[in-house]
Amino acid sequence: MDDKLMEKQIKKAKRVNYVFFAIAVALLAALAVGLITELNRPTDPAVKTAGLADVLQEKQILVKASGSYYRFDGGADFTALLAFDSWKKCDRVVPSDEVVTFHLGRQYSLTLYGDGHAVATNGYAEKGSHGDAFYEIPAELAQKAADYIEQNGTKLDFEEGVTASMTMDSATESEG
């Protein structure tokens, strides 16, 4: 093999390496931008504590507490009991001991757990925002909320087949 041919092959191999390197750098840059964008998405206002406090004051809510369903009229007394100012945002958690779930809409809920966590989820979150939020709450708060609901809510008797995703909105639509 002569030197000129070998030089051409080396240059060609270098060009191929440069192209692959450029593609890899471009893909890594795109991945980094995507990751940074995902991590910096704002939280949907509906799952922030202020949004939850507002919705818990304004309408009838379907609540599952201690294994039973209740119709509950939210209000300032109840939101004061929840002490939203003591809630602290935390990383994603997988709690297991659900005590109370507030069905605030078809795909909008707030669940309090006995281990001191709460999860708020809005399936209709604003575009480009996180539709769920995870909170650390006072450990006794979930049981206090369940007790309050049992004392002040109206227990509902449903026929078989009712699901936990049913909301007061869908119940009132079917009646009207």
Side-chain angles (χ1 to χ4, degrees), residues 73-88:
D73 293 326
D77 291 341
F78 183 66
T79 55
L81 172 85
L82 291 178
F84 284 110
D85 56 336
S86 66
W87 292 29
K88 304 225 180 324

Side-chain angles (χ1 to χ4, degrees), residues 8-172:
K8 273 185 169 181
Q9 287 178 341
I10 291 172
K11 282 184 181 181
K12 185 177 179 182
K14 281 184 178 181
R15 258 193 316 248
V16 169
N17 286 343
Y18 289 140
V19 167
F20 282 122
F21 181 73
I23 291 171
V25 167
L27 287 174
L28 283 173
L31 181 64
V33 167
L35 183 61
I36 290 169
T37 302
E38 174 66 23
L39 293 174
N40 290 316
R41 280 190 313 165
T43 301
D44 183 67
V47 295
K48 290 182 177 180
T49 55
L52 294 168
D54 285 346
V55 77
L56 286 171
Q57 289 188 39
E58 61 187 41
K59 64 176 183 174
Q60 286 190 337
I61 304 162
L62 177 67
V63 182
K64 182 180 178 188
S66 304
S68 298
Y69 287 92
Y70 296 85
R71 180 176 40 241
F72 178 71
D73 293 326
D77 291 341
F78 183 66
T79 55
L81 172 85
L82 291 178
F84 284 110
D85 56 336
S86 66
W87 292 29
K88 304 225 180 324
K89 228 171 161 196
C90 66
D91 292 331
R92 182 175 295 271
V93 294
V94 184
S96 60
D97 53 342
E98 174 185 327
V99 178
V100 181
T101 298
F102 300 92
H103 298 280
L104 307 170
R106 283 195 176 90
Q107 293 185 20
Y108 182 24
S109 66
L110 170 64
T111 303
L112 306 180
Y113 296 90
D115 67 353
H117 288 98
V119 178
T121 304
N122 183 6
Y124 298 108
E126 294 177 3
K127 186 176 181 179
S129 66
H130 288 287
D132 51 13
F134 302 87
Y135 297 98
E136 289 180 7
I137 62 173
E140 70 283 352
L141 187 61
Q143 192 56 53
K144 281 184 182 178
D147 295 342
Y148 189 93
I149 296 297
E150 289 171 9
Q151 292 170 3
N152 298 295
T154 304
K155 190 170 184 177
L156 301 174
D157 294 316
F158 288 112
E159 295 175 88
E160 244 180 80
V162 80
T163 65
S165 63
M166 183 180 170
T167 65
M168 292 306 294
D169 294 336
S170 62
T172 55

